[in-house]
Amino acid sequence: MEFNLKEGISSVMEIKVTEKETAINYGSGDLPVYATPAMIALMENAAKSCVGLHLQCGYTTVGIDVNVKHIKATPINMKVKCEATLTKIDGKRLFFEVKVWDEKGKIGEGTHIRYVVSNEEFMNRLK
């Protein structure tokens, strides 16, 4: 199995915060602000998207490690942008730097590790 991946590739994703992404909705807090779990999901999605088109058909990545800081609150209706950069490839393990900004500045940063898997083999192991 070969991967057409190169360190340094990146992906940017942008969303607008709605009530769906709030801490109240996620159950992670009591305030109507962008939830940390929603930010982590955006980080994972950006990392997944960064490498997805470079994998052979039938392969994907799964998240295996997240280490992030949510450093600033973001209100509903503000845009949030995440950039994931592939910083290291170690066999099937892919290491990413992730950063998130809202319209006023940086709100989160950290690292994320994903692992390349065969869709079919992965799902068969769950049976």
Side-chain angles (χ1 to χ4, degrees):
M1 157 181 43
E2 289 185 30
F3 309 116
N4 188 23
L5 298 172
K6 293 183 181 173
E7 293 173 3
I9 63 174
S10 65
S11 176
V12 175
M13 300 195 84
E14 184 174 291
I15 63 149
K16 184 174 183 179
V17 177
T18 67
E19 290 194 27
K20 178 182 163 195
E21 291 88 23
T22 64
I24 292 171
N25 187 56
Y26 270 82
S28 64
D30 298 324
L31 300 173
V33 295
Y34 190 47
T36 301
M39 183 184 75
I40 292 169
L42 182 64
M43 291 170 159
E44 287 203 67
N45 199 355
K48 178 181 73 77
S49 295
C50 179
V51 297
L53 293 176
H54 301 280
L55 299 176
Q56 292 176 345
C57 185
Y59 286 84
T60 190
T61 59
V62 294
I64 61 170
D65 184 78
V66 179
N67 183 1
V68 299
K69 292 180 182 178
H70 193 168
I71 55 180
K72 185 175 166 271
T74 302
I76 293 173
N77 293 321
M78 190 172 277
K79 291 180 184 175
V80 173
K81 176 174 68 172
C82 177
E83 179 177 26
T85 303
L86 180 60
T87 58
K88 179 180 172 185
I89 302 168
D90 181 15
K92 294 181 181 182
R93 287 188 312 158
L94 308 176
F95 296 77
F96 297 87
E97 178 180 277
V98 287
K99 296 178 184 176
V100 183
W101 300 267
D102 66 17
E103 296 171 37
K104 293 186 176 181
K106 187 189 288 183
I107 64 164
E109 63 187 1
T111 59
H112 177 43
I113 303 172
R114 298 189 70 77
Y115 195 82
V116 179
V117 298
S118 159
N119 299 350
E120 185 176 347
E121 290 174 15
F122 186 88
M123 294 309 295
N124 283 339
R125 276 183 276 191
L126 297 178
K127 293 180 181 176

